[in-house]
């Protein structure tokens, strides 16, 4: 369905993980966007970002506001698919399938910490690489070569929206040309910070009551305009 002209796909966590598995097997390049209300509102005034979302292979419903909007439009979605929950699920599947995973973004050293913590949790997971880098286009050549050399199957990018999604749209096809194999890329926002404990997710009771957005707003008051 579309919410303010932004496509959001009605998928569950289990379906998303299986979708990733099928795309890795099939080859090609596949961008997943974790669409929340801030994405939708940003896309109203950012044509380049709107185009990335329109062309993304999968737009998962990340954000209770998206679910509320869909229900109000008479097309309720079955489940919220949060990037911060999806990442460890994909790491677990990667460990089982032998996929190589690259962690890109966040502050210096955070990607490496997040990768090692995930590997400690899922011991068979193969870390293709971990690096902060930068979303600026002037750094694309270095990052493309760095990731291509690792033959990663999945790239988690933590630059925040819309930078992470624009980075993936520009560079996933370039990485695939170097490796001549398939790759799935997903923007994960502040998930690396959650993993290493720099930022705290909402308590479970708030998550169950769909109040995680409020917890993040209290932590980051500057988000109120976007929310």
């Amino acid at each position: 369905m579309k919410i303010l002209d932004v496509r959001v796909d009605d998928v569950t966590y289990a379906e998303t993980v299986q979708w990733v598995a099928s795309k890795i097997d099939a080859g090609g390049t596949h961008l997943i966007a974790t669409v929340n209300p801030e994405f939708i509102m940003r896309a109203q005034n950012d044509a380049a970002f709107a185009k990335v979302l329109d062309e993304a292979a999968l737009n998962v419903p990340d954000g209770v506001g998206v679910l509320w909007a869909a229900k109000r439009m008479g097309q309720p979605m079955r489940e919220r698919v949060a990037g911060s929950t999806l990442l460890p699920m994909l790491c677990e599947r990667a460990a089982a399938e032998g996929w190589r995973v690259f962690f890109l973004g966040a502050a210096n050293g955070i990607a490496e910490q997040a990768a090692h913590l995930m590997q400690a949790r899922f011991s068979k997971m193969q870390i293709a690489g971990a690096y902060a880098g930068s979303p600026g286009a002037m750094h694309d050549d270095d990052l493309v070569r760095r990731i291509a050399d690792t033959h990663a199957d999945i790239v988690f990018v933590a630059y925040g929206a819309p930078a992470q999604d624009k980075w993936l749209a520009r560079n996933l096809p370039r990485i695939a040309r170097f490796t001549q194999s398939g790759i799935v890329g997903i923007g994960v926002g502040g998930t690396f910070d959650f993993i290493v404990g720099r930022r705290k997710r909402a308590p479970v009771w708030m998550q169950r009551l769909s109040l995680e957005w409020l917890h993040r707003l209290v932590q980051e008051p500057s988000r109120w305009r976007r929310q």
Side-chain angles (χ1 to χ4, degrees):
M1 67 171 298
K2 286 196 172 185
I3 300 174
L4 296 179
D5 290 326
V6 174
R7 192 188 86 247
V8 185
D9 300 310
D10 181 19
V11 291
T12 64
Y13 282 113
E15 289 170 351
T16 302
V17 172
Q18 188 55 42
W19 182 94
V20 170
S22 69
K23 298 307 179 186
I24 290 175
D25 288 343
T29 60
H30 311 280
L31 190 162
I32 302 175
T34 54
V35 177
N36 62 28
E38 293 179 29
F39 279 53
I40 292 171
M41 298 314 298
R42 178 62 181 258
Q44 306 309 301
N45 299 303
D46 186 336
F49 186 40
K51 185 174 187 292
V52 169
L53 296 178
D54 187 57
E55 296 178 353
L58 186 69
N59 288 338
V60 301
D62 181 348
V64 68
V66 173
L67 269 63
W68 288 345
K71 184 175 182 180
R72 185 176 180 84
M73 294 170 68
Q75 301 180 59
M77 293 187 170
R78 292 167 293 162
E79 187 172 52
R80 178 191 175 200
V81 180
S84 51
T85 301
L86 181 61
L87 185 149
M89 295 177 71
L90 288 172
C91 287
E92 182 177 22
R93 184 66 178 266
E97 300 285 351
W99 301 335
R100 296 177 57 77
V101 183
F102 199 105
F103 291 68
L104 176 68
N108 287 334
I110 299 302
E112 290 86 347
Q113 291 181 49
H116 288 124
L117 285 169
M118 283 293 99
Q119 191 176 51
R121 183 173 172 184
F122 307 110
S123 60
K124 293 184 178 179
M125 188 184 78
Q126 298 183 51
I127 299 174
Y131 185 61
S134 171
M138 71 287 293
H139 302 290
D140 284 358
D141 289 348
D142 173 66
L143 292 179
V144 165
R145 179 64 72 176
R146 183 186 291 264
I147 297 170
D149 286 346
T150 70
H151 295 278
D153 299 295
I154 300 177
V155 181
F156 295 122
V157 183
Y159 288 138
Q164 62 194 16
D165 309 278
K166 291 179 178 179
W167 189 95
L168 284 165
R170 288 197 312 270
N171 292 306
L172 275 183
R174 297 183 63 200
I175 295 169
R177 283 197 294 272
F178 276 115
T179 61
Q180 297 184 336
S181 61
I183 188 168
V184 173
I186 175 171
V188 294
T191 300
F192 295 175
D193 288 332
F194 292 140
I195 292 171
V196 305
R198 291 185 77 210
R199 290 162 56 188
K200 300 295 185 183
R201 284 196 71 181
V204 173
W205 69 267
M206 291 190 79
Q207 295 181 41
R208 288 175 176 166
L209 291 175
S210 300
L211 292 174
E212 193 164 10
W213 63 271
L214 179 59
H215 178 81
R216 293 194 67 185
L217 181 59
V218 171
Q219 289 185 316
E220 302 174 67
S222 62
R223 299 175 66 95
W224 77 269
R225 288 184 182 275
R226 290 176 285 161
Q227 290 194 351

